[in-house]
Amino acid sequence: MKAQPRLRIAVQKSGRLNNDSIDLLIRCGLKIRATKNALFCHGENLPIDVLLVRDDDIPSLVVDGVCDLGIVGENVLLEQAIIYQQDNAQSNFAVIKKLGFSQCRLAIALPQAQLFDGPDSLTGLRIATTYPNLLREYLMRNQVKAKIVTISGSVEIAPRLDMADAICDLVATGRTLEEHNLKEVDQVVTSQAVLIKSLKTLTENVPSKKNDILELLLRRIGGVLKAQESKYIMFHAPKASLPMIKEFLPGSEMPTIMALDGIEDKVAVHVVSSEGVFWITLEKLKQAGASSILVLPIEKMLS
Ligand code: PRT
Ligand code: ZN
């Protein structure tokens, strides 16, 4: 009997992408048995298996069709995609969804005291990076001549060791730069985790069992991402304030309005807000006369 097709998805084994990637798959309903040191996790309830690898290996595993899908940072993808273009190889992968986590930026940073007056200020400097392709493209785009010093890690200590005058590295909170007396002066690219698919194994517009599994996974990922952004809000409010409240509650076109026993001029409002709910929104609600305000997370959502 022919084996049923299964999708194989490449995920970072350990590091900054691992937790959120696995968490997303679990939220999509995938049950995987996590065994220590295992590189391959069999999906128990869906025809989806997980291959745990270094993030740098993910694009080529997908391009070569060893894996059908991969979750990887745009930074890695862009750095390597430039290599693929140079090789003139046909692009054998496609980005199918931005996943919203692992957000960071590839940035140029200089010692705190050094002046920066636009990319021209980098002329003649030695810039240390683990992203030589993206840095080269940035320098070319800005018509700046500088020396790229490619190193394999701990880029932020290069200026102190006099290996470089500036760095080009990933920044998230900016704390690492601060700790090393560096300041961010320009952005090369922004990045977040994305889902990529192999065009070798998942041919576009050709119906196949694998494409059906992908459709199901994409629908669930869409639901998980939407649920993460959405909140269920409950509060009491004066009837007279309802039009104003609707104005500043994002994505709350169809609230459920219920009468409050024994109180004529107030109602209970339940609403799903499709955008992040911030303290400022809650303060506005309060100013509009709302009380007993509750904001609840939504676990699953399918519309
Ligand atoms: O072992 P493997 O090769 O799989 O992992 P890795 O060591 O190459 O990567 P890892 O786990 O460090 O990062 C994986 C991915 O997470 C990156 O490719 C990015 O897409 C994403 N990401 C998000 C980050 C950061 N934020 C980040 N802050 N990757 C690295 N950093 C580092 C940065 O290099 C710098 O050293 O964190 C420091 C800066 O952080 P802040 O918060 O102090 O600014
Ligand atoms: Zn890596």
Side-chain angles (χ1 to χ4, degrees), residues 114-178:
Q114 201 158 324
L115 287 178
F116 182 79
D117 197 18
D120 269 352
S121 306
L122 302 172
T123 302
L125 299 188
R126 297 164 299 160
I127 310 175
T129 190
T130 50
Y131 293 85
N133 292 313
L134 284 173
L135 175 57
R136 191 173 307 113
E137 203 189 53
Y138 165 89
L139 292 172
M140 272 164 57
R141 200 184 331 132
N142 289 290
Q143 298 177 338
V144 171
K145 282 210 160 62
K147 184 170 166 30
I148 299 172
V149 181
T150 306
I151 56 179
S152 56
S154 303
V155 174
E156 59 278 352
I157 59 166
R160 198 185 301 161
L161 300 177
D162 196 28
M163 289 165 67
D165 312 297
I167 68 165
C168 168
D169 195 17
L170 295 177
V171 181
T173 60
R175 209 173 304 136
T176 307
L177 291 183
E178 218 169 277

Short mmCIF file of all heavy atoms in Angstrom, two decimals, residues 114-178:
data_model
loop_
_atom_site.label_atom_id
_atom_site.label_comp_id
_atom_site.label_asym_id
_atom_site.label_seq_id
_atom_site.Cartn_x
_atom_site.Cartn_y
_atom_site.Cartn_z
N GLN A 114 31.34 58.53 18.13
CA GLN A 114 31.61 58.81 16.70
C GLN A 114 30.42 59.49 16.03
O GLN A 114 29.28 59.08 16.20
CB GLN A 114 31.92 57.50 15.99
CG GLN A 114 32.69 57.72 14.70
CD GLN A 114 33.44 56.47 14.31
OE1 GLN A 114 33.94 55.75 15.19
NE2 GLN A 114 33.51 56.20 13.03
N LEU A 115 30.71 60.51 15.23
CA LEU A 115 29.63 61.24 14.56
C LEU A 115 29.09 60.45 13.37
O LEU A 115 29.83 59.76 12.69
CB LEU A 115 30.14 62.59 14.06
CG LEU A 115 30.40 63.65 15.14
CD1 LEU A 115 30.95 64.92 14.52
CD2 LEU A 115 29.10 63.94 15.92
N PHE A 116 27.80 60.55 13.14
CA PHE A 116 27.18 59.93 11.97
C PHE A 116 26.28 60.96 11.30
O PHE A 116 25.37 61.52 11.92
CB PHE A 116 26.35 58.70 12.37
CG PHE A 116 25.74 57.99 11.20
CD1 PHE A 116 26.49 57.12 10.41
CD2 PHE A 116 24.40 58.17 10.86
CE1 PHE A 116 25.93 56.46 9.32
CE2 PHE A 116 23.83 57.51 9.78
CZ PHE A 116 24.59 56.66 9.00
N ASP A 117 26.58 61.16 10.02
CA ASP A 117 25.84 62.19 9.30
C ASP A 117 25.31 61.58 7.99
O ASP A 117 25.50 62.12 6.93
CB ASP A 117 26.83 63.34 9.02
CG ASP A 117 26.10 64.61 8.65
OD1 ASP A 117 24.90 64.68 8.93
OD2 ASP A 117 26.74 65.50 8.04
N GLY A 118 24.74 60.37 8.10
CA GLY A 118 24.29 59.64 6.92
C GLY A 118 25.31 58.59 6.52
O GLY A 118 26.46 58.61 7.02
N PRO A 119 24.93 57.66 5.61
CA PRO A 119 25.80 56.54 5.23
C PRO A 119 27.20 56.97 4.77
O PRO A 119 28.16 56.22 4.96
CB PRO A 119 25.03 55.89 4.07
CG PRO A 119 23.61 56.24 4.32
CD PRO A 119 23.61 57.59 4.96
N ASP A 120 27.34 58.17 4.22
CA ASP A 120 28.65 58.67 3.78
C ASP A 120 29.69 58.62 4.90
O ASP A 120 30.89 58.45 4.64
CB ASP A 120 28.54 60.12 3.29
CG ASP A 120 28.27 60.14 1.80
OD1 ASP A 120 28.34 59.04 1.18
OD2 ASP A 120 27.99 61.23 1.26
N SER A 121 29.21 58.79 6.14
CA SER A 121 30.13 58.79 7.30
C SER A 121 30.83 57.45 7.46
O SER A 121 31.78 57.33 8.22
CB SER A 121 29.37 59.10 8.59
OG SER A 121 28.65 60.28 8.48
N LEU A 122 30.35 56.42 6.76
CA LEU A 122 30.96 55.09 6.89
C LEU A 122 32.13 54.91 5.91
O LEU A 122 32.83 53.90 5.97
CB LEU A 122 29.90 54.01 6.64
CG LEU A 122 28.67 54.03 7.55
CD1 LEU A 122 27.63 53.03 7.06
CD2 LEU A 122 29.06 53.72 9.00
N THR A 123 32.33 55.87 5.03
CA THR A 123 33.37 55.75 4.00
C THR A 123 34.74 55.44 4.63
O THR A 123 35.16 56.11 5.57
CB THR A 123 33.45 57.05 3.16
OG1 THR A 123 32.16 57.27 2.60
CG2 THR A 123 34.50 56.94 2.06
N GLY A 124 35.37 54.38 4.12
CA GLY A 124 36.72 54.02 4.56
C GLY A 124 36.76 53.22 5.86
O GLY A 124 37.83 52.77 6.27
N LEU A 125 35.61 53.04 6.51
CA LEU A 125 35.62 52.31 7.79
C LEU A 125 35.64 50.80 7.56
O LEU A 125 35.24 50.31 6.52
CB LEU A 125 34.39 52.68 8.62
CG LEU A 125 34.21 54.14 9.04
CD1 LEU A 125 33.06 54.27 10.03
CD2 LEU A 125 35.50 54.71 9.65
N ARG A 126 36.11 50.08 8.59
CA ARG A 126 36.03 48.61 8.59
C ARG A 126 34.76 48.24 9.35
O ARG A 126 34.60 48.65 10.51
CB ARG A 126 37.24 48.00 9.30
CG ARG A 126 38.59 48.30 8.65
CD ARG A 126 39.72 47.98 9.63
NE ARG A 126 39.61 48.80 10.83
CZ ARG A 126 40.19 48.52 12.00
NH1 ARG A 126 40.93 47.44 12.14
NH2 ARG A 126 40.04 49.32 13.05
N ILE A 127 33.86 47.50 8.71
CA ILE A 127 32.58 47.16 9.36
C ILE A 127 32.50 45.65 9.56
O ILE A 127 32.55 44.88 8.60
CB ILE A 127 31.37 47.63 8.50
CG1 ILE A 127 31.55 49.11 8.09
CG2 ILE A 127 30.07 47.45 9.27
CD1 ILE A 127 30.46 49.62 7.15
N ALA A 128 32.41 45.24 10.83
CA ALA A 128 32.35 43.80 11.14
C ALA A 128 30.90 43.31 11.08
O ALA A 128 29.98 43.98 11.54
CB ALA A 128 32.91 43.55 12.53
N THR A 129 30.72 42.12 10.52
CA THR A 129 29.36 41.57 10.41
C THR A 129 29.38 40.06 10.17
O THR A 129 30.40 39.50 9.75
CB THR A 129 28.60 42.25 9.24
OG1 THR A 129 27.22 41.87 9.30
CG2 THR A 129 29.17 41.85 7.88
N THR A 130 28.24 39.43 10.44
CA THR A 130 28.04 38.04 10.01
C THR A 130 27.10 38.02 8.80
O THR A 130 26.66 36.96 8.37
CB THR A 130 27.45 37.16 11.15
OG1 THR A 130 26.32 37.82 11.69
CG2 THR A 130 28.45 36.92 12.25
N TYR A 131 26.75 39.21 8.32
CA TYR A 131 25.84 39.33 7.16
C TYR A 131 26.51 40.09 6.01
O TYR A 131 26.07 41.18 5.63
CB TYR A 131 24.54 40.06 7.59
CG TYR A 131 23.72 39.24 8.54
CD1 TYR A 131 23.99 39.26 9.90
CD2 TYR A 131 22.72 38.39 8.07
CE1 TYR A 131 23.26 38.47 10.78
CE2 TYR A 131 22.00 37.60 8.94
CZ TYR A 131 22.28 37.64 10.28
OH TYR A 131 21.56 36.85 11.14
N PRO A 132 27.61 39.52 5.45
CA PRO A 132 28.36 40.27 4.43
C PRO A 132 27.54 40.61 3.18
O PRO A 132 27.72 41.69 2.61
CB PRO A 132 29.52 39.32 4.07
CG PRO A 132 29.08 37.98 4.52
CD PRO A 132 28.19 38.20 5.70
N ASN A 133 26.63 39.73 2.78
CA ASN A 133 25.87 39.99 1.55
C ASN A 133 24.91 41.15 1.72
O ASN A 133 24.82 42.03 0.86
CB ASN A 133 25.10 38.74 1.13
CG ASN A 133 26.04 37.65 0.68
OD1 ASN A 133 26.96 37.90 -0.09
ND2 ASN A 133 25.85 36.44 1.19
N LEU A 134 24.19 41.16 2.84
CA LEU A 134 23.24 42.25 3.07
C LEU A 134 23.98 43.56 3.30
O LEU A 134 23.53 44.62 2.85
CB LEU A 134 22.33 41.93 4.26
CG LEU A 134 21.25 40.90 3.96
CD1 LEU A 134 20.51 40.48 5.22
CD2 LEU A 134 20.26 41.46 2.94
N LEU A 135 25.14 43.49 3.97
CA LEU A 135 25.92 44.72 4.20
C LEU A 135 26.44 45.26 2.86
O LEU A 135 26.37 46.46 2.59
CB LEU A 135 27.08 44.45 5.17
CG LEU A 135 28.03 45.61 5.40
CD1 LEU A 135 27.30 46.86 5.90
CD2 LEU A 135 29.14 45.24 6.40
N ARG A 136 26.93 44.34 2.00
CA ARG A 136 27.46 44.76 0.68
C ARG A 136 26.36 45.47 -0.11
O ARG A 136 26.57 46.52 -0.70
CB ARG A 136 27.98 43.54 -0.09
CG ARG A 136 28.77 43.90 -1.34
CD ARG A 136 29.41 42.68 -1.98
NE ARG A 136 30.22 41.92 -1.04
CZ ARG A 136 29.93 40.69 -0.61
NH1 ARG A 136 28.83 40.07 -1.04
NH2 ARG A 136 30.70 40.08 0.25
N GLU A 137 25.17 44.88 -0.05
CA GLU A 137 24.05 45.48 -0.79
C GLU A 137 23.72 46.87 -0.23
O GLU A 137 23.46 47.81 -1.00
CB GLU A 137 22.83 44.56 -0.67
CG GLU A 137 21.85 44.78 -1.80
CD GLU A 137 20.55 44.03 -1.56
OE1 GLU A 137 19.94 44.20 -0.49
OE2 GLU A 137 20.16 43.29 -2.45
N TYR A 138 23.75 47.00 1.10
CA TYR A 138 23.48 48.31 1.73
C TYR A 138 24.51 49.34 1.28
O TYR A 138 24.17 50.47 0.93
CB TYR A 138 23.49 48.13 3.27
CG TYR A 138 23.59 49.43 4.04
CD1 TYR A 138 22.43 50.12 4.41
CD2 TYR A 138 24.82 49.96 4.41
CE1 TYR A 138 22.52 51.32 5.11
CE2 TYR A 138 24.92 51.14 5.11
CZ TYR A 138 23.76 51.82 5.46
OH TYR A 138 23.85 53.01 6.16
N LEU A 139 25.80 48.92 1.29
CA LEU A 139 26.87 49.87 0.92
C LEU A 139 26.72 50.27 -0.55
O LEU A 139 26.87 51.45 -0.90
CB LEU A 139 28.25 49.25 1.17
CG LEU A 139 28.60 49.02 2.66
CD1 LEU A 139 29.90 48.22 2.78
CD2 LEU A 139 28.72 50.34 3.42
N MET A 140 26.38 49.30 -1.40
CA MET A 140 26.22 49.61 -2.83
C MET A 140 25.03 50.54 -3.04
O MET A 140 25.12 51.52 -3.78
CB MET A 140 26.03 48.32 -3.64
CG MET A 140 27.37 47.72 -4.07
SD MET A 140 27.24 46.02 -4.61
CE MET A 140 26.05 46.16 -5.91
N ARG A 141 23.93 50.22 -2.34
CA ARG A 141 22.73 51.05 -2.46
C ARG A 141 23.02 52.50 -2.09
O ARG A 141 22.50 53.43 -2.67
CB ARG A 141 21.67 50.47 -1.50
CG ARG A 141 20.25 50.88 -1.80
CD ARG A 141 19.24 50.37 -0.76
NE ARG A 141 19.55 49.14 -0.07
CZ ARG A 141 19.45 49.00 1.26
NH1 ARG A 141 19.07 50.01 2.02
NH2 ARG A 141 19.73 47.84 1.82
N ASN A 142 23.91 52.68 -1.11
CA ASN A 142 24.22 54.04 -0.64
C ASN A 142 25.51 54.59 -1.26
O ASN A 142 25.96 55.66 -0.86
CB ASN A 142 24.33 54.05 0.89
CG ASN A 142 22.96 53.87 1.54
OD1 ASN A 142 22.13 54.76 1.48
ND2 ASN A 142 22.73 52.71 2.11
N GLN A 143 26.06 53.85 -2.22
CA GLN A 143 27.29 54.25 -2.90
C GLN A 143 28.40 54.63 -1.92
O GLN A 143 29.01 55.70 -2.03
CB GLN A 143 27.00 55.40 -3.86
CG GLN A 143 26.01 54.97 -4.93
CD GLN A 143 25.64 56.09 -5.86
OE1 GLN A 143 25.78 57.26 -5.54
NE2 GLN A 143 25.15 55.74 -7.02
N VAL A 144 28.60 53.75 -0.94
CA VAL A 144 29.64 54.00 0.07
C VAL A 144 30.72 52.93 -0.08
O VAL A 144 30.41 51.75 -0.25
CB VAL A 144 29.04 53.93 1.49
CG1 VAL A 144 30.14 53.98 2.54
CG2 VAL A 144 28.04 55.06 1.71
N LYS A 145 31.99 53.37 -0.03
CA LYS A 145 33.10 52.40 -0.08
C LYS A 145 33.62 52.18 1.34
O LYS A 145 34.14 53.10 1.97
CB LYS A 145 34.22 52.94 -0.98
CG LYS A 145 33.92 52.78 -2.46
CD LYS A 145 35.23 52.60 -3.25
CE LYS A 145 35.00 51.96 -4.61
NZ LYS A 145 34.15 52.76 -5.49
N ALA A 146 33.42 50.97 1.84
CA ALA A 146 33.90 50.62 3.18
C ALA A 146 34.39 49.19 3.13
O ALA A 146 34.09 48.46 2.18
CB ALA A 146 32.78 50.77 4.19
N LYS A 147 35.15 48.77 4.17
CA LYS A 147 35.70 47.41 4.16
C LYS A 147 34.81 46.49 5.01
O LYS A 147 34.54 46.79 6.17
CB LYS A 147 37.12 47.43 4.71
CG LYS A 147 37.82 46.07 4.65
CD LYS A 147 39.29 46.22 4.98
CE LYS A 147 40.01 44.92 5.26
NZ LYS A 147 39.58 43.73 4.63
N ILE A 148 34.35 45.41 4.38
CA ILE A 148 33.51 44.45 5.12
C ILE A 148 34.42 43.42 5.80
O ILE A 148 35.21 42.76 5.14
CB ILE A 148 32.52 43.74 4.17
CG1 ILE A 148 31.60 44.79 3.53
CG2 ILE A 148 31.72 42.68 4.91
CD1 ILE A 148 30.71 44.24 2.43
N VAL A 149 34.32 43.32 7.13
CA VAL A 149 35.09 42.33 7.87
C VAL A 149 34.11 41.24 8.32
O VAL A 149 33.29 41.46 9.21
CB VAL A 149 35.77 42.96 9.11
CG1 VAL A 149 36.60 41.92 9.86
CG2 VAL A 149 36.61 44.16 8.71
N THR A 150 34.18 40.09 7.65
CA THR A 150 33.23 39.02 7.97
C THR A 150 33.75 38.20 9.14
O THR A 150 34.86 37.66 9.07
CB THR A 150 33.02 38.11 6.76
OG1 THR A 150 32.65 38.92 5.65
CG2 THR A 150 31.92 37.08 7.01
N ILE A 151 32.97 38.16 10.23
CA ILE A 151 33.36 37.31 11.36
C ILE A 151 32.19 36.38 11.70
O ILE A 151 31.09 36.57 11.21
CB ILE A 151 33.82 38.14 12.60
CG1 ILE A 151 32.73 39.13 13.04
CG2 ILE A 151 35.09 38.88 12.30
CD1 ILE A 151 33.16 39.93 14.26
N SER A 152 32.47 35.36 12.54
CA SER A 152 31.43 34.35 12.70
C SER A 152 30.53 34.55 13.91
O SER A 152 29.52 33.89 14.05
CB SER A 152 32.06 32.96 12.72
OG SER A 152 33.01 32.93 13.75
N GLY A 153 30.88 35.46 14.81
CA GLY A 153 30.01 35.67 15.97
C GLY A 153 30.55 36.79 16.85
O GLY A 153 31.62 37.34 16.57
N SER A 154 29.81 37.14 17.90
CA SER A 154 30.20 38.21 18.83
C SER A 154 30.69 39.45 18.11
O SER A 154 31.74 40.01 18.42
CB SER A 154 31.27 37.72 19.80
OG SER A 154 30.81 36.60 20.49
N VAL A 155 29.91 39.89 17.17
CA VAL A 155 30.26 41.04 16.34
C VAL A 155 30.47 42.30 17.18
O VAL A 155 31.34 43.12 16.91
CB VAL A 155 29.13 41.28 15.30
CG1 VAL A 155 29.37 42.54 14.51
CG2 VAL A 155 29.03 40.08 14.37
N GLU A 156 29.68 42.40 18.28
CA GLU A 156 29.68 43.65 19.05
C GLU A 156 31.01 43.94 19.75
O GLU A 156 31.26 45.07 20.14
CB GLU A 156 28.51 43.66 20.05
CG GLU A 156 28.47 42.56 21.07
CD GLU A 156 27.86 41.25 20.54
OE1 GLU A 156 27.34 41.23 19.41
OE2 GLU A 156 27.94 40.25 21.26
N ILE A 157 31.88 42.91 19.90
CA ILE A 157 33.15 43.22 20.57
C ILE A 157 34.25 43.59 19.57
O ILE A 157 35.34 43.99 19.96
CB ILE A 157 33.65 42.07 21.50
CG1 ILE A 157 33.84 40.77 20.70
CG2 ILE A 157 32.75 41.86 22.69
CD1 ILE A 157 34.64 39.73 21.48
N ALA A 158 33.95 43.49 18.28
CA ALA A 158 34.98 43.76 17.25
C ALA A 158 35.60 45.17 17.36
O ALA A 158 36.83 45.29 17.27
CB ALA A 158 34.39 43.54 15.86
N PRO A 159 34.81 46.24 17.59
CA PRO A 159 35.44 47.56 17.70
C PRO A 159 36.42 47.64 18.88
O PRO A 159 37.51 48.19 18.76
CB PRO A 159 34.26 48.51 17.91
CG PRO A 159 33.10 47.80 17.29
CD PRO A 159 33.34 46.35 17.59
N ARG A 160 36.03 47.03 20.02
CA ARG A 160 36.91 47.09 21.20
C ARG A 160 38.22 46.34 20.94
O ARG A 160 39.27 46.69 21.45
CB ARG A 160 36.21 46.50 22.42
CG ARG A 160 36.89 46.93 23.71
CD ARG A 160 36.31 46.29 24.94
NE ARG A 160 34.89 46.58 25.11
CZ ARG A 160 34.08 45.86 25.87
NH1 ARG A 160 34.53 44.80 26.51
NH2 ARG A 160 32.81 46.18 26.00
N LEU A 161 38.17 45.31 20.12
CA LEU A 161 39.38 44.53 19.80
C LEU A 161 40.15 45.13 18.64
O LEU A 161 41.09 44.54 18.14
CB LEU A 161 38.99 43.08 19.46
CG LEU A 161 38.26 42.28 20.55
CD1 LEU A 161 37.89 40.90 20.05
CD2 LEU A 161 39.11 42.19 21.81
N ASP A 162 39.68 46.28 18.16
CA ASP A 162 40.26 46.98 17.02
C ASP A 162 40.27 46.12 15.74
O ASP A 162 41.13 46.23 14.88
CB ASP A 162 41.69 47.49 17.33
CG ASP A 162 42.11 48.54 16.30
OD1 ASP A 162 41.21 49.22 15.75
OD2 ASP A 162 43.32 48.65 16.01
N MET A 163 39.27 45.23 15.66
CA MET A 163 39.11 44.45 14.43
C MET A 163 38.26 45.23 13.44
O MET A 163 38.21 44.91 12.25
CB MET A 163 38.40 43.13 14.73
CG MET A 163 39.23 42.13 15.51
SD MET A 163 38.15 40.84 16.16
CE MET A 163 37.63 40.02 14.66
N ALA A 164 37.52 46.22 13.95
CA ALA A 164 36.62 46.99 13.09
C ALA A 164 36.35 48.35 13.71
O ALA A 164 36.60 48.57 14.90
CB ALA A 164 35.31 46.22 12.91
N ASP A 165 35.82 49.28 12.87
CA ASP A 165 35.46 50.61 13.37
C ASP A 165 33.97 50.72 13.61
O ASP A 165 33.50 51.61 14.32
CB ASP A 165 35.84 51.68 12.33
CG ASP A 165 37.26 51.48 11.83
OD1 ASP A 165 38.18 51.58 12.67
OD2 ASP A 165 37.43 51.17 10.62
N ALA A 166 33.21 49.82 12.96
CA ALA A 166 31.75 49.85 13.08
C ALA A 166 31.28 48.41 12.99
O ALA A 166 32.05 47.51 12.64
CB ALA A 166 31.16 50.67 11.94
N ILE A 167 30.00 48.18 13.31
CA ILE A 167 29.45 46.83 13.13
C ILE A 167 28.11 46.88 12.40
O ILE A 167 27.46 47.92 12.31
CB ILE A 167 29.26 46.08 14.48
CG1 ILE A 167 28.16 46.72 15.34
CG2 ILE A 167 30.56 45.98 15.26
CD1 ILE A 167 27.69 45.83 16.48
N CYS A 168 27.74 45.73 11.85
CA CYS A 168 26.43 45.58 11.22
C CYS A 168 25.88 44.28 11.80
O CYS A 168 26.37 43.19 11.50
CB CYS A 168 26.62 45.48 9.70
SG CYS A 168 25.14 44.96 8.83
N ASP A 169 24.91 44.41 12.73
CA ASP A 169 24.45 43.22 13.46
C ASP A 169 22.95 43.33 13.76
O ASP A 169 22.36 44.40 13.60
CB ASP A 169 25.23 43.10 14.78
CG ASP A 169 25.09 41.72 15.42
OD1 ASP A 169 24.67 40.77 14.72
OD2 ASP A 169 25.40 41.59 16.61
N LEU A 170 22.39 42.21 14.20
CA LEU A 170 20.97 42.20 14.55
C LEU A 170 20.75 42.95 15.87
O LEU A 170 21.56 42.82 16.79
CB LEU A 170 20.47 40.77 14.70
CG LEU A 170 20.47 39.92 13.44
CD1 LEU A 170 20.01 38.50 13.76
CD2 LEU A 170 19.58 40.53 12.37
N VAL A 171 19.68 43.70 15.92
CA VAL A 171 19.32 44.43 17.12
C VAL A 171 17.86 44.14 17.42
O VAL A 171 17.03 44.17 16.51
CB VAL A 171 19.50 45.96 16.92
CG1 VAL A 171 19.14 46.72 18.19
CG2 VAL A 171 20.92 46.29 16.49
N ALA A 172 17.57 43.86 18.68
CA ALA A 172 16.15 43.71 19.06
C ALA A 172 15.80 44.82 20.05
O ALA A 172 15.18 45.81 19.69
CB ALA A 172 15.90 42.33 19.64
N THR A 173 16.27 44.70 21.30
CA THR A 173 15.96 45.75 22.28
C THR A 173 16.99 46.89 22.24
O THR A 173 16.71 47.99 22.72
CB THR A 173 15.98 45.17 23.71
OG1 THR A 173 17.30 44.65 23.95
CG2 THR A 173 14.97 44.06 23.87
N GLY A 174 18.18 46.64 21.75
CA GLY A 174 19.24 47.65 21.74
C GLY A 174 20.15 47.56 22.95
O GLY A 174 21.15 48.26 23.05
N ARG A 175 19.81 46.62 23.88
CA ARG A 175 20.59 46.52 25.11
C ARG A 175 22.04 46.12 24.84
O ARG A 175 22.97 46.68 25.42
CB ARG A 175 19.92 45.51 26.06
CG ARG A 175 20.18 45.82 27.52
CD ARG A 175 19.39 44.91 28.43
NE ARG A 175 17.97 44.97 28.16
CZ ARG A 175 17.17 43.90 28.10
NH1 ARG A 175 17.67 42.70 28.24
NH2 ARG A 175 15.88 44.04 27.88
N THR A 176 22.25 45.14 23.95
CA THR A 176 23.61 44.66 23.67
C THR A 176 24.50 45.80 23.15
O THR A 176 25.65 45.95 23.58
CB THR A 176 23.57 43.51 22.64
OG1 THR A 176 22.66 42.54 23.11
CG2 THR A 176 24.93 42.88 22.43
N LEU A 177 23.95 46.61 22.25
CA LEU A 177 24.73 47.74 21.72
C LEU A 177 25.12 48.68 22.86
O LEU A 177 26.28 49.08 22.97
CB LEU A 177 23.91 48.52 20.68
CG LEU A 177 23.63 47.81 19.35
CD1 LEU A 177 22.89 48.74 18.40
CD2 LEU A 177 24.94 47.34 18.70
N GLU A 178 24.15 48.99 23.70
CA GLU A 178 24.39 49.90 24.82
C GLU A 178 25.49 49.37 25.72
O GLU A 178 26.41 50.09 26.09
CB GLU A 178 23.10 50.03 25.62
CG GLU A 178 22.84 51.43 26.15
CD GLU A 178 21.42 51.50 26.68
OE1 GLU A 178 20.49 51.71 25.88
OE2 GLU A 178 21.27 51.31 27.91
#
